[in-house]
Amino acid sequence: MFNSSKLNSRLAAAAFGALAIGAVAFSNSAAAAPLPMFPFLLTPPTEAAPPPVQSMPQAQDDEGSFQLPARLRRQVVAYPTREAPGTIIIDTPHTYLYLVLGNGQAMRYGIGIGRDGFTWSGTQTITKKAEWPDWTPPPEMIARQPYLPRHMAGGPGNPLGARAMYLGGTIYRIHGTNMPETIGTRVSSGCLRLTNEDVTDLYSRVSVGTKVIVLPMTDRRADLGATIR
């Protein structure tokens, strides 16, 4: 009986010691990293904000759009002539078209003219006017450039541009162009081209029957059109 009581005392002491050690270990662990009582209520850790995304630069004005040189822009100039107001004079050497206004003045437009071998001269009248004209290349042009279309409906892509004024019974016209960079150059097959804006302006100022004088390429007189300030 004595031995049994002694054994029980030793077991109780050992159990008490183990509880004490566990309590100390739990206390130290809690002090080092306290556990939350309700972990499901914790706010999730905040992630680092991503760097700001730069917005795409706004599109700028189209700086590549073509602008005529100052001398080829439509302008009123001093232009002494004996021709009646309303007459059109083509200054072939200087690539200008003058619309005589009277009182020593004219409206001057920059134009594109015929390339080498395709310039011409003489006096004609406007026999027909057309807005957004169709284009039917004449047989002579087809023979030289067989790849050309036989007919093209009027519109922005048509090489005759926004307006056309037909000269007498010839194949030549004063017309617009969808290639404004050719104004001031010698590239056509004999027709006289203006920008679409300028040909629309000219079209509104003249009528069927208007006299058109085309000066020869060999006429190298100085340009008479001085800009009026």
Side-chain angles (χ1 to χ4, degrees), residues 4-36:
S4 177
S5 299
K6 190 173 182 180
L7 178 60
N8 290 337
S9 298
R10 289 179 178 177
L11 290 173
F16 181 78
L19 289 173
I21 293 172
V24 172
F26 177 80
S27 175
N28 290 338
S29 176
L35 296 176

Side-chain angles (χ1 to χ4, degrees), residues 107-158:
M107 182 71 75
R108 188 178 75 187
Y109 306 80
I111 61 173
I113 64 171
R115 60 187 182 274
D116 289 345
F118 289 88
T119 57
W120 59 280
S121 61
T123 300
Q124 293 290 339
T125 58
I126 293 177
T127 53
K128 177 183 174 182
K129 297 172 61 179
E131 299 184 11
W132 295 107
D134 294 346
W135 180 44
T136 302
E140 299 90 336
M141 186 177 289
I142 294 293
R144 293 190 302 268
Q145 300 166 285
Y147 54 84
L148 291 175
R150 273 38 180 182
H151 180 81
M152 182 180 291
N158 191 301

Side-chain angles (χ1 to χ4, degrees), residues 28-41:
N28 290 338
S29 176
L35 296 176
M37 183 174 295
F38 304 106
F40 52 83
L41 295 179

Side-chain angles (χ1 to χ4, degrees), residues 172-220:
Y172 303 123
R173 289 151 291 201
I174 298 171
H175 64 78
T177 180
N178 53 22
M179 300 177 65
E181 65 275 11
T182 62
I183 300 303
T185 67
R186 299 173 173 86
V187 295
S188 79
S189 295
C191 287
L192 308 162
R193 62 179 65 180
L194 296 81
T195 65
N196 281 333
E197 182 180 356
D198 282 355
V199 79
T200 301
D201 180 84
L202 178 64
Y203 186 96
S204 69
R205 296 173 183 269
V206 300
S207 58
V208 171
T210 294
K211 182 179 178 181
V212 179
I213 301 172
V214 180
L215 300 178
M217 189 66 187
T218 54
D219 188 343
R220 291 292 182 176

Side-chain angles (χ1 to χ4, degrees), residues 1 3 35 42 51 59 86 90 95 98 111 123 188 204:
M1 180 177 179
N3 290 336
L35 296 176
L42 286 178
I90 305 297
T95 64
Y98 292 96
I111 61 173
T123 300
S188 79
S204 69

